[in-house]
Amino acid sequence: MQNETEKYALALHGGAGAVAGRDYAVTEEHLRKLATDCEQRLAKGGSALDVVEHAVNELETCGLYVAGRGSAPNSAGHVELDASIMDGRSRKAGAVAALPDVVSPVQVARGVMEKTPHVMLAGKGALDFARSNHFAEVADPAAYYILPVGVTGADIGGFVHGTVGAVALDKTGGLAAATSTGGTFGKLKGRIGDTPLIGPGTWADDGIAISCTGTGEHIIRAGGATAIAFRYRSGVGLEQAIGEMLDEVKRLGGDAGIIAVTKSGEIAMPYNSQGMKRASAASNSAITVATFD
Ligand code: ASP
């Protein structure tokens, strides 16, 4: 099925944990390059699903964000990774949670979607699945993980958090979303936030694709991405649908940021934290990149 106007649109985030006053020039430059790369892929006819997986894989492996290589250790000193991906047209989805030491959790999440009858695998089972399907593992965790941009040693043990995500509309009208995180610094072993949860953290259907970032416990309790999608489906405008969910997160004591793209090519990237690393690109507008207002 061809989208009449062949329009495409894309939004990326590098997490809503940006701290006011810190310098994010390096991540802004990185997001600009990645948005350009992803835009070219969509312009050439790449699928939304492939593009969001590609974007999140790049955000995971660069080490600049709290995901993949830049992930936060839990209170036991180990990295546990969460990721999810969803295809709007088929409603197929895959996720991994509390998965130790793979190079690209989003690739494993897509593997769960395509190679199993399940939506989510967690912990040891997820690792066994990654191994038996030959997804790359981190050979030397002590050497691999690095502090991401904007995070200092003094942040460790505090409630510092970060995530990466991507949403896209492709030229056929397909929508997809993907999200990946190392979670929150100092989280309890086995803690799982919103990011790998299809519904709260990541959602795509035939009208909208959404990736959330922020304090996962509050996002889950506010309903997260599906709370936005269901409002939007019932006729609430995009900004209002997102704003109402963000207000609920705030009321519960957290903060969050959202990236969303709709079937009509509308993009929204609001947040109520101090800042959110973000970028957008679309067939009908120039690339935008920002961290703060
Ligand atoms: N939502 C993520 C989590 O709670 C963290 C973040 O987005 O910054 O694990």
Side-chain angles (χ1 to χ4, degrees):
M1 190 179 69
Q2 206 77 63
N3 182 345
E4 272 175 11
T5 58
E6 296 233 317
K7 64 175 71 149
Y8 57 81
L10 163 91
L12 308 172
H13 74 72
V19 180
R22 293 190 186 171
D23 182 2
Y24 294 98
V26 171
T27 49
E28 288 186 358
E29 184 52 27
H30 180 255
L31 285 171
R32 182 176 299 282
K33 283 199 183 117
L34 184 57
T36 306
D37 167 18
C38 291
E39 175 171 18
Q40 286 166 357
R41 288 167 187 261
L42 288 169
K44 282 189 204 145
S47 77
L49 187 66
D50 286 345
V51 168
V52 297
E53 182 193 350
H54 167 77
V56 169
N57 170 260
E58 167 60 28
L59 292 161
E60 289 171 334
T61 51
C62 68
L64 298 173
Y65 311 88
V66 186
R69 193 168 189 204
S71 289
N74 63 18
S75 57
H78 304 297
V79 167
E80 291 184 325
L81 303 157
D82 299 332
S84 57
I85 187 163
M86 186 166 191
D87 177 53
R89 192 172 274 143
S90 66
R91 293 276 191 111
K92 286 187 176 162
V96 289
L99 170 60
D101 304 330
V102 298
V103 171
S104 178
V106 75
Q107 288 185 344
V108 186
R110 184 157 178 187
V112 171
M113 174 175 125
E114 290 179 344
K115 296 174 196 281
T116 82
H118 308 304
V119 166
M120 181 187 280
L121 294 176
K124 177 74 169 56
L127 184 60
D128 289 349
F129 169 81
R131 283 189 174 148
S132 59
N133 285 278
H134 311 292
F135 288 101
E137 283 182 69
V138 173
D140 181 357
Y144 182 71
Y145 295 109
I146 50 178
L147 275 184
V149 169
V151 176
T152 70
D155 291 322
I156 295 176
F159 201 56
V160 170
H161 58 87
T163 291
V164 301
V167 292
L169 167 73
D170 66 32
K171 284 166 112 178
T172 74
L175 288 154
T179 317
S180 179
T181 192
T184 51
F185 279 74
K187 64 187 180 181
L188 289 178
K189 191 175 174 189
R191 177 268 187 190
I192 294 168
D194 60 306
T195 300
L197 302 182
I198 297 297
T202 299
W203 181 259
D205 58 27
D206 54 3
I208 193 165
I210 301 165
S211 169
C212 295
T213 169
T215 53
E217 284 72 7
H218 304 101
I219 293 171
I220 292 168
R221 289 160 59 209
T226 40
I228 297 167
F230 295 166
R231 279 181 175 92
Y232 181 71
R233 182 175 283 267
S234 71
V236 178
L238 181 63
E239 295 284 346
Q240 189 185 336
I242 296 173
E244 287 175 7
M245 202 290 288
L246 285 177
D247 287 350
E248 190 67 356
V249 170
K250 194 58 123 189
R251 192 184 69 76
L252 294 170
D255 55 31
I258 305 296
I259 55 170
V261 61
T262 68
K263 176 107 177 172
S264 61
E266 198 179 355
I267 295 171
M269 302 188 288
Y271 59 93
N272 59 13
S273 57
Q274 293 177 35
M276 178 172 76
K277 294 159 246 175
R278 60 198 188 277
S280 70
S283 46
N284 58 0
S285 59
I287 288 175
T288 72
V289 183
T291 305
F292 302 108
D293 289 343

